[in-house]
Amino acid sequence: MEDEFCECRPLGFLIGLPFSLASLLLCLVGAFIWLFGSTLSCLCPCCIWCAELGNVGVSLVKLPIGVLKWFIRKIPC
């Protein structure tokens, strides 16, 4: 299976770029949520939701790359 970034799909990249920039704002929110959840899980390790809050933050931080990959896969050359 070929690597997705080795294929020539500039149109998918260009169409997905504004959506990726919009998800960059969510990435900043995700970083704040991750720091907040990590701090709470260190202070109170008995609360399982604090660790889950950190996981949600990490998934929001990874969101812009996921958006770009989705658009690159959907738009053909």
Side-chain angles (χ1 to χ4, degrees):
M1 185 170 173
E2 294 183 23
D3 190 19
E4 295 169 4
F5 287 109
C6 291
E7 297 176 5
C8 174
R9 296 185 184 192
L11 186 60
F13 178 77
L14 290 177
I15 291 174
L17 196 58
F19 296 103
S20 179
L21 292 176
S23 66
L24 188 62
L25 295 174
L26 286 175
C27 176
L28 296 175
V29 171
F32 177 73
I33 290 173
W34 175 65
L35 287 174
F36 183 70
S38 296
T39 305
L40 281 179
S41 67
C42 287
L43 293 176
C44 181
C46 60
C47 294
I48 192 77
W49 64 270
C50 297
E52 189 61 35
L53 190 64
N55 291 337
V56 169
V58 169
S59 66
L60 283 175
V61 168
K62 294 179 182 180
L63 188 64
I65 299 298
V67 168
L68 269 179
K69 284 183 180 180
W70 185 82
F71 271 100
I72 288 173
R73 282 193 306 257
K74 293 296 178 184
I75 304 295
C77 285

